Amino acid sequence: MLSTHRHIQLAMLMDRASTERVRYYCNAQKASWIGAREAAIHFTRTAFRWEQIRQHCCKRMFQS
């Protein structure tokens, strides 16, 4: 079972990951609009990584 402090840490990281994921997907879309293919790929990959972090935090929080 996770401590209260750890739950708070995970919740904060999950919240940040949600925000960052959206920000990077928006950046990917903007890069795609202007034709910056490599930048769009980079931003999409970064957004995907933040989504993985969010899912991991969610799993850890609700597993206990």
Side-chain angles (χ1 to χ4, degrees):
M1 184 164 156
L2 298 174
S3 68
T4 301
H5 178 70
R6 188 64 178 150
H7 269 284
I8 292 169
Q9 285 179 325
L10 284 171
M12 289 174 63
L13 182 57
M14 192 167 70
D15 184 50
R16 179 172 177 220
S18 295
T19 303
E20 293 294 323
R21 175 191 56 143
V22 171
R23 182 170 73 95
Y24 279 103
Y25 275 132
C26 290
N27 286 344
Q29 188 175 29
K30 289 176 189 174
S32 180
W33 285 341
I34 64 171
R37 185 176 180 271
E38 294 298 320
I41 291 169
H42 167 73
F43 289 134
T44 302
R45 286 180 180 160
T46 305
F48 178 72
R49 181 65 185 132
W50 277 111
E51 174 60 15
Q52 288 179 322
I53 293 168
R54 188 196 66 77
Q55 288 178 6
H56 180 75
C57 289
C58 187
K59 184 178 174 183
R60 289 283 311 267
M61 280 184 63
F62 298 111
Q63 191 176 35
S64 58

